[in-house]
Amino acid sequence: MAQCVLSVHEFIQDSFVPMIAVLSSGEAERVTRKNNLNFAELLRPFCRLTSEGHIRDPNNQLQTVKNLRICVNNVVTSPSTSSAALGTSQNRLLSEVVFCCQPQEGVQSTVTRTGDYNLNLSVTTPWFEAYRENFFQSMPASDHEFLNHYLACMLVVSSTEAVPVEQFLKLSQEQHRIQHSGEYTDPKWFIPNTLKYYVLLHDMNEGDEQRADMVYEDMKHRYGSHGCYLLKINSRASSPPEEDEQIPDPWSQYLHKQNIRNQDLSDLAPPVNVAPAQNSVVTPETDCCDSTEKEGPGVSSCLDTHPLQLDTDSSTASLLTLSQVDSDAKTSTGDIDSLPAGGGHHGACLTLNDHDRIRQFIQEFTFRGLLPHIEKNIRQLNDQLVSRKGLSRSLFSATKKWFGGGKVPEKGISEPKSTYGIQYPPEAPELQIRKMADLCFLVQHYELAYSCYHTAKKDFLSDQAMLYAAGALEMAAVSAFLQGGAPRPYPGHYMETAIQTYRDVCKNMVLAERCALLSAEILKSQGKYSEAATLLIKMTSEDSDLRSALLLEQAAHCFINMRNPMVRKFAFHMILAGHRFSKAGQRRHALRCYTQAMQVYKDRGWSLAEDHINFTIGRQSFTLGQPENALLAFRQILINDSRQTATQQAAFLREYLFVVKSVLGEKEGCLPQLPLPFIHSSATRVYFGHERCLAEGEKQAATHVSLDQEYDQDLSVLWCQLEEQLAASANQGILPNNFQPSQSCLNSQTDNLHQPLAVVEEPIIIEVTFRNPLKVSLLLSNLSLLWRFTTGTLSGGKESTSDQLLGEMITNENTSAGKDEIVTTQIIKEFYLGSEETNTARLKLLPHRTGQLNIVGVIYNLTSSHFGEASSNTEGQQTLDSIIIRGRQDLKIQGPRLNLTKEDKMLVRHGTDRRLEPIITSPMPLMEVFFLQFPTALLCGEIRKAYVEFCNVSAVALCGLRVASTHPDFFTFGSQPNPGSTENCSAYATFPTPLQPDSMSSEMLVSAPDFSQPSGVTEIPIRGSTLQPGESIQLPLWLRGPDQEGVHEINFLFYYESTERGPKISHRVLRHTVFICASRSLSVQASACRSSASPHHSVDDKGIGGTLVFIDVENVNVSESDVREFHIVQVSSSSQHWCLHKYINPYNNYDCRLSSRERAKLCFKAMRCKPHEGSDAVKEYTFSDLNLGNQRIISSSTPCGDFFFRCLQSSEFQQVNLATRTSFSSKSQGPPPTDTGSDITSIAKKCNEIDLNVIVIWKAYVVEDNKQLILEGQLHVALQTIGKEASSLIPKEEAPEMILLRFKSDMPPSVILPYLELSQLIRTNLCYPETFTHPFVKDSLCLVPVTLTLSNCSLAEIDVIVELRHKSTSSESLEVHSSFAWVGQTQYKLQLGRREVVSLTLQACFFRAGVYNLNTPRVFAKPAEQSTMCEASQQTACPALIIINNACPLLS
């Protein structure tokens, strides 16, 4: 239970107090009425004694009475009423008391933390305490107990009476008649000899004080000094108190509830007075208990249903009926302050001294009159009982026989027997024991009271008088609890038995409720909250909604106050209490209960319970005239992911629309924030510019950026890199400091820290994502964007807030004419959202002026009606279906979470997102790009000619047109005019050339800067470098298929600027993405080797020596069945130092055609080029062409030369990246090699470098649509090193194998071996006759001259040693070489200069005929600066065989 103001002892003592009746004369009432009070009301604030009283028990033991309070009431006679149930007036009183006691704002509350719940609950429930207090006070008197019977009667007479004593006599006789005549059953009197206390009331302003004293002296002689009292009041004239004198008003807190009670009792019988008092009370216009009956059918059906049931039938048209009773509800729920207790100020004629006199009077009456009277009656009852039983005079010495003995109670013949036991006559001994127990209980003698109750309980149970027994059990339990000292255990089973008897046997819910309230308070004080809650829940029933609601609420508080709080039980019983409050007409209390329960169910997954609670809160709030709270509750139902049925959700939506409609009727011109549909603000995308058409007939437009494309972070980085290249190229190779990448489409993944820039007269498209969380379809009509526009220019830099803009603020929140002149807003007439559907709406704005635009949100009309669906219900339902409300939703976009500083990581902070705050700038050029004859599939290396068209569709001229691409080797605009070939529409520049055997190549010297652009950015060649408004230009575009098969994504980024400098946007870009499917064509493998011919035979005008180039060409096209064959039409080369000189064709077969999987091997002779005369900084390449047909293609012109240089740049870029990675890995692995090794390696590498680029030009014959087409293409092979094969196919990268990590000791340092590269420094060649005939018969020695040619292949001076002696390694080799020997000088030491050739004349001596290998000289070489010698590899390269024949003697 909730905390109470009174403790449990104070509550029980105040619930059972001595009852005092008042009979006053008419003149006395007139005196008290000067203070707007009757006599009983005058005494009520002073009825609690501040000092202790004392009585003596039958054993003459002194007992202390502390904090005693008495109850003084006017005597009111009424017909006999049953005590089994409260009457209508009592129920109305209790309902009014609960209604008037509402929770005040700022009342003390506590935050209960249990588990993960934080509940904000009220500590106290004053309405329950008020109900409980008035319940005890309004209980009717019963015959089975005497606690609320009158013990004494005050007879009040004014001193202004002519004969006061006669008035006392009349009042005494009237009291005697009421008590003993039998005409009245109420009020009930405790004992026959009621104490009469005579009070003489003296008005200090009217009466004679001396006469009053004389009358009082006479009274003391007549009635005794302890039986009368002179009370002097009204020391001040009846006038408002002065401002400086603050007289308290202690009556206000008692009078309201008491006046209502007295008014209810006066409805049954008027008060018994000589001159009836004019008691009046003002009640509310409409009673709460009756308000339920006055409600419409929709409300009653809702409030009478089960608290956890949502009735669809009642909820569909409920708020229409709710609105009809709204005025009645406001009347019935009036403020408590508007209920006056009486007219005028209370105690206007009383001073503080009069207050003290009244307080002294109560004390004198109690101590000198009431307590002695009670003590006397306790003794008399004790003596009567003892005398009747014939036992000892003391009750305390009585035996059990005394307690248990006795006869059967006397019963009258005519007395009806009840269903729950017998009725005792007033003089029955059992009732005398009960009367004595009640007297002892009232004066706080709880031990004696417990003994008497216990004894009476046994007698009543033996007689089966269940009502009497239950009363005795109840008070025995209370007495046992209140005993001081070492109290006996609280007999809770007594209370349980009493409650069960009252409720089930006696059918008396009033007494059962009283017993339950007492027991629950006692259990709560002992910390037994679970037992208290169980008891309170058992007391709920259908006969009283108010009682059930209050008890269920207290049970809920018991659950939350347990040692381990039961939060969900608290919430559940709060909902039950709220439902019963609602049925009782206590809507404010019902709303409070549901609100407190909502704290437990909110955001816990109890969606159905949340819907019920919110729905009830919304209804109650709307009925109580709180539409704002109703909106919040209904809004919560709609925004949650509801699990209700579609019908129920439709009912929720219609009621919400009705509430919004009613609120909008009061607040015209204010657009509400609508909860439906749900907007994913973070998914909002912003697109700047026109929506582009992808195709116009044969033209294919640039793809650019559109809202239909998915955002790719990696691709965005790639576009940014391309734009940086373009911006740097336009700014002399330096990226501007204020460079910001262009963003045409903004979303949650883009950088939205800066305000975007938009162009005037160009649309802004906002894509808003809507989600319908309901199973009911929604229709949004007149959907548009809500914006604010600030005209003017920025006062600061580029990034400024709206406050820095100088101009007026314009918004379209209030529709008025003239807004379209600033920003044209697109309106979508109808936007349909199906059940649980997510859809996007693209809303367009077209700004016409410069300034700043803030997109605030969306505005639309909301309805739940379906397309073409008519209502088939009642007229009210048709009205609901047609409800349309206009509202708005703001787009509140939260930026990315910050994670830079420590505070950012510890807290949840978000950055700014300004995608909805564009700055509108001055006009800019706008370019469209179209492609004609652009292919989608190519063969690897295929050359295709297309066209590109550039159109300026704006009113501003553009310049600086450039393009960058991820595949710069894929396209070219051409570096020089290309007339092309008319034959077969060839893309190459050709001229006829007759095919002649042994023809030499044609050579052409080309400068590399004429073709290549170092930055990778291509400047588009347009006339005048400017494109005027409305002008368009068409340029040829050559394409070359990628060298690697597969699908390739190729990105183009076009860059252009405005001719008018100074706008905030420095440039604009246009994106284009194409996908090319590349199929395999030819595979070209090339290798180079030095010629084995003697240098003397190869020396010509081209230089020293020659090199053979072998080219293997294979048709690897197997997937394209339409390709018949490939024809190699020409082989060209391009190099700074080498060129192809001659085609070596032994069979003079120049026609090279390859069908599928066929291979051809071509051999060419390559020679070094003559040194070029010119600047060393300019790279010049020599192009040589060797045609294999009747036409020669100029490889140095467009497009062949362009693609060569583009592929060359691409390969060089890859090699630089590879070298960078290699150097980085070598640095991380170990120290660099020594300078000596580096020099030797470089010398050897330069010796073997050839740097020859081979271009193979082919034609493919394709059959397509029964037509033969000729495709052209070229493949590139870069020969870098002699002896190392190169290929035109790009090898696929394979994932490196995983290397296991092993832990081992350090290896010993490796042995440095001679450099193998040194074996390539010297080339050797033996010149000798293949056959030699010698007559061995005549001359046994045959001498043959042999010439050894040494060629220095490097660019350094080389020391050479030639060793002619045979190297003996085995007996077999010795035998082989023993047949001939070198004669003459056997070792030569010489030094060869750069590329020097030296010939040595040697002589070989043979001893007999045979075949001999002359390749036995060993050649050692080293650079002149080094000390390490290395044997030349040509020593064992190939045998030099000579045939020695023996001349026949006969022929000689």
Side-chain angles (χ1 to χ4, degrees):
M1 298 176 67
Q3 296 182 11
C4 299
V5 177
L6 300 177
S7 65
V8 59
H9 291 80
E10 294 173 344
F11 159 65
I12 296 176
Q13 289 178 8
D14 288 352
S15 300
F16 303 101
V17 296
M19 304 290 293
I20 310 300
V22 173
L23 280 175
S24 57
S25 66
E27 186 65 21
E29 283 294 325
R30 184 188 65 80
V31 172
T32 56
R33 278 297 168 187
K34 292 183 179 181
N35 298 289
N36 200 22
L37 300 165
N38 59 35
F39 188 77
E41 294 171 349
L42 180 70
L43 301 182
R44 189 161 295 120
F46 310 100
C47 287
R48 184 177 296 279
L49 303 181
T50 57
S51 57
E52 298 179 355
H54 300 85
I55 64 169
R56 291 188 179 271
D57 61 16
N59 279 345
N60 207 24
Q61 297 292 326
L62 189 66
Q63 297 293 330
T64 303
V65 182
K66 300 179 180 180
N67 199 25
L68 180 64
R69 186 178 74 87
I70 63 175
C71 181
V72 181
N73 292 321
N74 289 326
V75 174
V76 179
T77 59
S78 62
S80 178
T81 58
S82 174
S83 63
L86 296 177
T88 304
S89 59
Q90 286 89 351
N91 287 327
R92 188 173 65 180
L93 165 69
L94 295 176
S95 179
E96 187 68 22
V97 166
V98 173
F99 167 76
C100 294
C101 189
Q102 299 290 342
Q104 301 295 327
E105 295 183 1
V107 71
Q108 182 182 2
S109 60
T110 179
V111 177
T112 302
R113 293 182 176 87
T114 169
D116 54 349
Y117 292 95
N118 291 329
L119 307 179
N120 192 1
L121 307 176
S122 58
V123 178
T124 60
T125 52
W127 47 90
F128 171 72
E129 296 181 54
Y131 169 86
R132 189 175 60 182
E133 179 184 353
N134 283 270
F135 171 78
F136 277 93
Q137 292 179 4
S138 61
M139 282 191 64
S142 177
D143 292 333
H144 78 286
E145 62 182 12
F146 305 93
L147 291 170
N148 53 356
H149 292 196
Y150 285 108
L151 273 169
C153 182
M154 290 184 181
L155 307 178
V156 185
V157 175
S158 174
S159 62
T160 58
E161 297 280 355
V163 185
V165 177
E166 292 182 1
Q167 292 294 330
F168 280 126
L169 180 60
K170 291 181 181 180
L171 294 177
S172 178
Q173 291 173 354
E174 181 69 17
Q175 188 276 333
H176 187 272
R177 185 181 66 85
I178 293 173
Q179 181 176 358
H180 297 288
S181 66
E183 299 178 6
Y184 306 102
T185 57
D186 285 320
K188 297 185 182 294
W189 304 91
F190 207 103
I191 52 179
N193 186 17
T194 302
L195 171 65
K196 297 182 178 65
Y197 197 79
Y198 301 89
V199 181
L200 182 62
L201 191 62
H202 176 65
D203 190 338
M204 299 291 289
N205 287 323
E206 292 184 2
D208 186 358
E209 188 172 357
Q210 292 183 355
R211 182 175 181 274
D213 293 338
M214 290 175 59
V215 174
Y216 179 58
E217 290 297 330
D218 183 40
M219 291 170 59
K220 288 195 288 185
H221 288 293
R222 288 176 180 269
Y223 311 119
S225 60
H226 300 307
C228 59
Y229 193 84
L230 174 60
L231 179 59
K232 299 178 180 180
I233 61 172
N234 295 346
S235 300
R236 184 174 57 181
S238 179
S239 60
E242 299 179 1
E243 295 181 0
D244 57 346
E245 184 180 5
Q246 298 293 333
I247 302 298
D249 182 9
W251 295 273
S252 60
Q253 58 180 325
Y254 297 94
L255 291 183
H256 173 63
K257 52 190 177 183
Q258 187 62 30
N259 282 340
I260 297 175
R261 182 169 179 266
N262 290 342
Q263 179 68 24
D264 294 334
L265 295 178
S266 66
D267 294 340
L268 301 177
V272 180
N273 290 322
V274 177
Q278 301 299 323
N279 295 337
S280 63
V281 63
V282 180
T283 58
E285 296 179 9
T286 306
D287 192 83
C288 291
C289 295
D290 300 334
S291 61
T292 306
E293 300 175 359
K294 301 176 183 178
E295 294 171 355
V299 177
S300 61
S301 63
C302 171
L303 301 181
D304 293 340
T305 53
H306 192 272
L308 293 183
Q309 177 183 358
L310 291 175
D311 190 359
T312 304
D313 297 334
S314 66
S315 63
T316 52
S318 59
L319 282 184
L320 282 181
T321 54
L322 282 179
S323 62
Q324 297 170 3
V325 301
D326 187 34
S327 58
D328 297 337
K330 292 181 179 179
T331 305
S332 65
T333 56
D335 194 358
I336 182 175
D337 297 334
S338 65
L339 303 173
H345 181 70
H346 303 108
C349 299
L350 301 178
T351 62
L352 293 179
N353 291 332
D354 292 334
H355 294 185
D356 294 337
R357 292 190 188 101
I358 298 173
R359 192 176 291 108
Q360 182 65 28
F361 161 67
I362 294 295
Q363 196 163 0
E364 286 291 327
F365 165 75
T366 305
F367 291 159
R368 311 189 85 179
L370 182 61
L371 290 181
H373 177 72
I374 294 176
E375 179 181 342
K376 175 184 174 182
N377 281 277
I378 291 175
R379 289 179 179 274
Q380 289 178 357
L381 290 171
N382 183 53
D383 293 342
Q384 291 177 9
L385 293 173
V386 170
S387 63
R388 287 192 180 187
K389 298 298 180 180
L391 300 176
S392 62
R393 297 185 59 84
S394 175
L395 182 62
F396 286 91
S397 61
T399 60
K400 293 183 178 180
K401 181 180 178 180
W402 183 88
F403 286 111
K407 300 177 182 179
V408 177
E410 299 178 1
K411 309 174 194 56
I413 298 175
S414 61
E415 294 175 358
K417 292 186 179 181
S418 64
T419 57
Y420 51 82
I422 62 176
Q423 290 185 349
Y424 293 97
E427 64 274 7
E430 291 83 0
L431 290 186
Q432 302 304 315
I433 296 177
R434 173 63 195 254
K435 188 178 293 185
M436 180 178 173
D438 289 343
L439 283 174
C440 294
F441 187 87
L442 291 176
V443 294
Q444 304 175 11
H445 197 340
Y446 300 119
E447 185 175 358
L448 181 57
Y450 175 77
S451 299
C452 295
Y453 286 132
H454 194 273
T455 302
K457 180 257 303 184
K458 290 183 178 180
D459 293 341
F460 294 142
L461 288 177
S462 64
D463 295 338
Q464 292 297 309
M466 301 310 297
L467 179 62
Y468 296 90
L473 283 170
E474 174 188 4
M475 298 312 297
V478 176
S479 301
F481 173 74
L482 293 176
Q483 287 184 26
R488 65 184 77 230
Y490 169 65
H493 59 286
Y494 280 11
M495 279 294 193
E496 294 178 3
T497 304
I499 294 173
Q500 184 178 3
T501 303
Y502 282 142
R503 185 183 61 212
D504 301 335
V505 180
C506 304
K507 307 300 181 182
N508 193 320
M509 289 301 298
V510 176
L511 295 175
E513 181 180 356
R514 183 188 72 176
C515 190
L517 293 175
L518 293 172
S519 180
E521 195 67 30
I522 293 172
L523 291 172
K524 184 192 77 170
S525 67
Q526 296 178 342
K528 299 178 180 180
Y529 289 102
S530 179
E531 292 84 348
T534 304
L535 175 62
L536 293 171
I537 294 172
K538 286 182 179 179
M539 284 304 299
T540 59
S541 62
E542 294 298 327
D543 61 333
S544 175
D545 291 319
L546 181 62
R547 179 186 70 237
S548 300
L550 291 167
L551 297 185
L552 284 170
E553 182 183 12
Q554 294 304 310
H557 281 281
C558 289
F559 288 122
I560 203 64
N561 288 324
M562 295 174 64
R563 177 174 298 179
N564 295 321
M566 306 176 75
V567 182
R568 289 194 293 273
K569 277 197 173 184
F570 160 78
F572 178 72
H573 287 84
M574 268 297 185
I575 292 176
L576 297 178
H579 176 66
R580 300 304 291 270
F581 270 128
S582 182
K583 292 181 66 176
Q586 303 285 344
R587 293 193 180 93
R588 294 185 184 274
H589 289 291
L591 179 60
R592 174 185 48 79
C593 290
Y594 277 102
T595 304
Q596 289 192 356
M598 189 61 184
Q599 301 179 79
V600 177
Y601 290 104
K602 189 175 183 180
D603 299 332
R604 299 282 177 178
W606 302 80
S607 60
L608 296 179
E610 278 190 78
D611 291 344
H612 167 76
I613 297 172
N614 280 315
F615 181 71
T616 308
I617 290 176
R619 279 193 162 186
Q620 297 290 358
S621 299
F622 182 79
T623 308
L624 293 173
Q626 303 174 6
E628 299 296 336
N629 293 337
L631 280 180
L632 292 177
F634 282 118
R635 180 188 181 92
Q636 197 66 31
I637 297 178
L638 298 177
I639 64 177
N640 285 342
D641 291 332
S642 177
R643 293 163 54 190
Q644 301 285 354
T645 61
T647 306
Q648 191 64 54
Q649 290 180 356
F652 289 159
L653 179 58
R654 285 193 293 269
E655 298 217 7
Y656 171 77
L657 295 179
F658 180 80
V659 174
V660 174
K661 194 76 172 180
S662 62
V663 174
L664 290 180
E666 302 174 359
K667 301 179 180 179
E668 295 182 357
C670 179
L671 292 177
Q673 290 282 347
L674 299 180
L676 291 176
F678 180 75
I679 294 180
H680 294 276
S681 295
S682 60
T684 302
R685 297 195 296 171
V686 184
Y687 178 78
F688 300 98
H690 297 275
E691 291 183 299
R692 300 175 183 270
C693 181
L694 296 182
E696 293 182 4
E698 296 181 355
K699 295 182 180 180
Q700 179 184 357
T703 56
H704 194 49
V705 182
S706 69
L707 291 172
D708 298 327
Q709 299 173 358
E710 293 290 337
Y711 179 79
D712 189 341
Q713 182 68 34
D714 297 334
L715 196 58
S716 177
V717 173
L718 186 144
W719 288 116
C720 183
Q721 293 174 352
L722 292 177
E723 189 172 354
E724 289 178 356
Q725 294 178 16
L726 289 165
S729 174
N731 195 35
Q732 300 178 357
I734 302 174
L735 187 67
N737 295 329
N738 59 348
F739 170 78
Q740 290 292 338
S742 302
Q743 296 186 107
S744 299
C745 185
L746 302 179
N747 52 45
S748 58
Q749 299 180 3
T750 57
D751 183 11
N752 304 323
L753 184 61
H754 304 283
Q755 289 178 284
L757 299 176
V759 180
V760 68
E761 299 298 341
E762 291 189 13
I764 302 173
I765 302 175
I766 310 298
E767 184 184 78
V768 184
T769 303
F770 294 95
R771 180 176 67 87
N772 180 13
L774 304 181
K775 300 181 180 69
V776 181
S777 57
L778 299 177
L779 177 61
L780 310 184
S781 58
N782 294 334
L783 174 63
S784 62
L785 288 172
L786 193 62
W787 49 263
R788 288 195 300 266
F789 188 83
T790 305
T791 60
T793 57
L794 286 171
S795 60
K798 181 179 179 181
E799 293 295 330
S800 303
T801 62
S802 58
D803 296 336
Q804 296 172 313
L805 272 157
L806 306 176
E808 60 174 334
M809 178 76 70
I810 302 172
T811 180
N812 68 335
E813 294 185 16
N814 299 322
T815 57
S816 60
K819 301 296 176 61
D820 288 343
E821 297 179 0
I822 300 172
V823 177
T824 301
T825 306
Q826 179 193 10
I827 298 177
I828 299 178
K829 293 300 181 182
E830 288 185 346
F831 183 75
Y832 179 74
L833 281 175
S835 170
E836 297 180 342
E837 180 185 1
T838 300
N839 200 356
T840 58
R842 294 178 181 176
L843 302 167
K844 186 183 298 184
L845 296 177
L846 183 62
H848 304 293
R849 295 171 60 180
T850 59
Q852 177 168 324
L853 180 65
N854 287 338
I855 300 167
V856 180
V858 292
I859 182 172
Y860 54 91
N861 296 332
L862 175 63
T863 180
S864 62
S865 298
H866 301 290
F867 290 115
E869 185 174 318
S871 303
S872 59
N873 297 334
T874 62
E875 294 181 1
Q877 187 65 29
Q878 290 177 357
T879 305
L880 274 177
D881 278 342
S882 61
I883 290 180
I884 299 176
I885 59 172
R886 185 158 185 83
R888 59 184 286 181
Q889 279 201 64
D890 292 342
L891 293 174
K892 298 179 180 178
I893 301 179
Q894 196 175 51
R897 181 174 177 179
L898 301 179
N899 198 26
L900 299 177
T901 63
K902 181 179 180 181
E903 290 76 9
D904 293 341
K905 296 177 181 179
M906 296 178 63
L907 303 175
V908 179
R909 294 180 178 177
H910 293 270
T912 57
D913 192 305
R914 295 185 171 182
R915 74 181 91 162
L916 298 179
E917 303 174 10
I919 296 177
I920 312 301
T921 64
S922 56
M924 281 288 294
L926 184 63
M927 182 181 69
E928 294 284 357
V929 178
F930 299 95
F931 297 89
L932 290 83
Q933 303 176 14
F934 202 94
T936 58
L938 294 172
L939 296 175
C940 291
E942 179 186 349
I943 303 296
R944 188 78 63 89
K945 187 177 183 179
Y947 295 90
V948 59
E949 183 177 347
F950 301 96
C951 302
N952 185 355
V953 296
S954 66
V956 182
L958 64 87
C959 63
L961 189 56
R962 294 173 171 81
V963 63
S965 175
T966 54
H967 296 69
D969 54 346
F970 173 71
F971 71 98
T972 179
F973 285 96
S975 57
Q976 48 190 262
N978 176 22
S981 175
T982 58
E983 180 185 358
N984 295 326
C985 299
S986 175
Y988 292 108
T990 62
F991 61 93
T993 302
L995 190 61
Q996 299 177 0
D998 298 331
S999 62
M1000 302 298 176
S1001 63
S1002 63
E1003 298 179 4
M1004 183 175 292
L1005 191 63
V1006 173
S1007 177
D1010 295 340
F1011 285 88
S1012 61
Q1013 298 190 16
S1015 62
V1017 175
T1018 303
E1019 295 185 5
I1020 299 176
I1022 58 177
R1023 292 187 302 272
S1025 302
T1026 303
L1027 204 59
Q1028 297 299 327
E1031 185 181 358
S1032 62
I1033 186 173
Q1034 191 176 94
L1035 298 176
L1037 179 69
W1038 286 271
L1039 308 175
R1040 180 178 178 270
D1043 291 324
Q1044 189 173 5
E1045 66 171 332
V1047 178
H1048 299 265
E1049 180 181 354
I1050 301 174
N1051 300 311
F1052 298 90
L1053 187 64
F1054 297 93
Y1055 172 101
Y1056 57 96
E1057 299 174 351
S1058 174
T1059 55
E1060 301 175 2
R1061 297 297 178 181
K1064 298 180 180 63
I1065 303 179
S1066 61
H1067 65 275
R1068 305 191 83 172
V1069 295
L1070 180 65
R1071 300 178 183 178
H1072 181 58
T1073 301
V1074 295
F1075 292 90
I1076 298 296
C1077 180
S1079 303
R1080 290 192 295 180
S1081 56
L1082 297 177
S1083 172
V1084 179
Q1085 308 284 340
S1087 61
C1089 64
R1090 290 191 175 94
S1091 175
S1092 60
S1094 173
H1096 297 285
H1097 296 112
S1098 62
V1099 172
D1100 53 16
D1101 55 349
K1102 294 291 181 182
I1104 303 174
T1107 301
L1108 297 180
V1109 176
F1110 297 94
I1111 298 177
D1112 291 338
V1113 184
E1114 181 182 2
N1115 182 358
V1116 294
N1117 182 275
V1118 293
S1119 60
E1120 297 291 337
S1121 59
D1122 295 336
V1123 180
R1124 289 185 174 181
E1125 62 181 7
F1126 286 88
H1127 183 198
I1128 310 301
V1129 297
Q1130 182 170 305
V1131 177
S1132 302
S1133 68
S1134 175
S1135 175
Q1136 295 179 266
H1137 310 289
W1138 293 82
C1139 67
L1140 291 181
H1141 178 62
K1142 185 179 180 181
Y1143 176 36
I1144 302 176
N1145 187 4
Y1147 302 102
N1148 294 324
N1149 183 12
Y1150 289 90
D1151 190 13
C1152 183
R1153 296 178 181 270
L1154 301 176
S1155 297
S1156 178
R1157 286 302 181 185
E1158 287 187 349
R1159 169 181 283 185
K1161 192 175 185 69
L1162 307 178
C1163 182
F1164 297 89
K1165 185 175 182 180
M1167 302 294 293
R1168 284 188 175 273
C1169 301
K1170 294 181 179 180
H1172 303 149
E1173 296 180 1
S1175 175
D1176 296 337
V1178 178
K1179 293 184 178 180
E1180 293 184 342
Y1181 286 78
T1182 300
F1183 281 80
S1184 62
D1185 302 327
L1186 287 170
N1187 59 304
L1188 305 184
N1190 294 325
Q1191 287 187 338
R1192 176 168 295 179
I1193 298 173
I1194 305 174
S1195 61
S1196 59
S1197 63
T1198 299
C1200 184
D1202 296 88
F1203 284 118
F1204 164 73
F1205 282 107
R1206 286 180 174 270
C1207 295
L1208 183 64
Q1209 285 182 349
S1210 177
S1211 61
E1212 288 178 353
F1213 179 75
Q1214 294 175 359
Q1215 290 177 2
V1216 169
N1217 288 342
L1218 181 61
T1220 304
R1221 293 193 296 266
T1222 306
S1223 62
F1224 177 78
S1225 60
S1226 62
K1227 289 179 182 178
S1228 61
Q1229 292 175 359
T1234 59
D1235 295 340
T1236 301
S1238 177
D1239 293 342
I1240 298 175
T1241 305
S1242 62
I1243 292 173
K1245 284 185 177 180
K1246 288 181 181 180
C1247 175
N1248 295 323
E1249 283 182 356
I1250 184 171
D1251 189 20
L1252 177 64
N1253 299 286
V1254 178
I1255 304 173
V1256 178
I1257 302 176
W1258 50 264
K1259 289 184 179 181
Y1261 295 91
V1262 180
V1263 176
E1264 183 177 341
D1265 296 334
N1266 296 325
K1267 294 181 182 180
Q1268 179 171 324
L1269 302 179
I1270 299 178
L1271 306 181
E1272 298 175 305
Q1274 63 187 54
L1275 297 174
H1276 308 130
V1277 180
L1279 284 172
Q1280 302 291 335
T1281 308
I1282 293 178
K1284 186 175 181 181
E1285 189 176 55
S1287 174
S1288 63
L1289 295 179
I1290 301 176
K1292 295 183 179 180
E1293 296 183 0
E1294 298 180 357
E1297 296 181 359
M1298 182 180 296
I1299 301 176
L1300 297 178
L1301 182 63
R1302 298 178 180 177
F1303 297 92
K1304 55 177 67 175
S1305 59
D1306 295 337
M1307 299 296 292
S1310 58
V1311 179
I1312 300 177
L1313 299 176
Y1315 294 99
L1316 299 179
E1317 289 83 355
L1318 294 179
S1319 62
Q1320 304 292 335
L1321 295 178
I1322 301 299
R1323 187 177 65 175
T1324 61
N1325 185 61
L1326 291 173
C1327 185
Y1328 56 92
E1330 294 182 359
T1331 60
F1332 192 86
T1333 303
H1334 177 75
F1336 286 97
V1337 177
K1338 295 181 179 182
D1339 189 357
S1340 59
L1341 297 178
C1342 176
L1343 296 177
V1344 178
V1346 178
T1347 302
L1348 175 62
T1349 305
L1350 303 175
S1351 301
N1352 183 3
C1353 298
S1354 67
L1355 299 178
E1357 294 183 353
I1358 303 298
D1359 292 338
V1360 181
I1361 299 177
V1362 179
E1363 182 67 45
L1364 297 179
R1365 288 175 295 181
H1366 297 302
K1367 182 180 180 182
S1368 299
T1369 56
S1370 63
S1371 59
E1372 183 180 356
S1373 62
L1374 182 61
E1375 182 181 355
V1376 171
H1377 299 299
S1378 61
S1379 59
F1380 87 98
W1382 297 99
V1383 296
Q1385 186 177 346
T1386 59
Q1387 187 181 54
Y1388 296 87
K1389 291 184 180 182
L1390 61 154
Q1391 189 177 66
L1392 273 68
R1394 300 174 55 184
R1395 301 193 184 277
E1396 182 181 359
V1397 178
V1398 177
S1399 298
L1400 299 178
T1401 302
L1402 308 178
Q1403 280 190 337
C1405 181
F1406 300 91
F1407 305 101
R1408 59 177 179 266
V1411 180
Y1412 299 91
N1413 181 13
L1414 297 179
N1415 196 7
T1416 59
R1418 299 166 59 197
V1419 180
F1420 299 90
K1422 72 175 183 64
E1425 295 82 4
Q1426 304 297 328
S1427 59
T1428 305
M1429 299 293 290
C1430 184
E1431 186 174 358
S1433 61
Q1434 284 85 353
Q1435 178 69 29
T1436 57
C1438 57
L1441 301 179
I1442 185 173
I1443 301 175
I1444 304 298
N1445 297 320
N1446 188 9
C1448 181
L1450 297 176
L1451 297 177
S1452 57

